Amino acid sequence: MRILFLLFIIIPIVEMVVLIKVGEVIGAWYTVGLVLLTAIIGINLLRQQGLSTLMRANQRMNSGEMPAQEILEGFLLAVGGALLLTPGFVTDAIGFTLLIAPLRRLLVARLIGSGSLFVGAQLGGQPRGHADRFGPDRPTDARGNVIDGEYRREE
């Protein structure tokens, strides 16, 4: 919580300093125009990337997979969009970084791989949805991993 508090204080101060310095170099109205231009470009990129991520999530759900990657990417896109709508060049730079698909996917992969996010996991460590989907006696291998494939019971 302390870090968030510091960010809410430091980022606006840094933004004001950068806006003043840019305004001194290129002029106040050009600075305002540039901030508006980055917001317009950012919103258009956000729309494009958001639709692309939504399409990939739909494809994964239609194939029976959990779209964890796409859900986290959607969250980062929302954060990036909010940063782009915030006036300033520092927040715009961070927002544009989150709109670059390869960088965003790398960040999501690192977040998932680091274990700091428990995407789809219960306290017992088993993925959610498998017990409901396959029943309590679902096919597993010797280590308890769910065997993916089609099967039928003959009784």
Side-chain angles (χ1 to χ4, degrees):
M1 284 307 266
R2 185 175 291 165
I3 293 173
L4 283 177
F5 179 71
L6 287 173
L7 286 175
F8 279 119
I9 292 173
I10 292 171
I11 289 179
I13 293 170
V14 170
E15 287 288 10
M16 285 187 285
V17 169
V18 170
L19 284 169
I20 290 169
K21 293 294 184 186
V22 171
E24 288 175 356
V25 173
I26 66 171
W29 289 112
Y30 288 120
T31 303
V32 170
L34 197 55
V35 168
L36 290 175
L37 181 65
T38 58
I40 291 168
I41 292 170
I43 294 303
N44 286 326
L45 282 171
L46 177 63
R47 183 180 308 135
Q48 175 194 9
Q49 293 291 320
L51 288 174
S52 171
T53 302
L54 182 61
M55 297 294 278
R56 284 188 291 116
N58 280 335
Q59 287 173 346
R60 277 202 145 165
M61 288 184 351
N62 288 337
S63 67
E65 298 176 46
M66 177 67 176
Q69 174 94 14
E70 287 77 14
I71 290 171
L72 288 173
E73 282 188 42
F75 175 74
L76 290 179
L77 283 170
V79 170
L83 290 172
L84 286 168
L85 290 176
T86 304
F89 295 117
V90 175
T91 53
D92 285 349
I94 297 168
F96 277 121
T97 302
L98 292 175
L99 291 184
I100 299 171
L103 293 176
R104 187 178 61 248
R105 289 185 188 129
L106 178 67
L107 179 61
V108 168
R110 291 188 118 197
L111 285 172
I112 291 174
S114 71
S116 61
L117 298 173
F118 298 106
V119 179
Q122 296 175 340
L123 291 176
Q126 293 294 326
R128 287 188 183 176
H130 288 292
D132 296 334
R133 195 159 141 209
F134 296 110
D137 55 343
R138 62 191 183 269
T140 58
D141 63 8
R143 290 181 285 184
N145 296 324
V146 174
I147 299 171
D148 189 22
E150 296 182 22
Y151 74 99
R152 73 170 180 215
R153 288 198 188 118
E154 295 182 10
E155 298 178 32

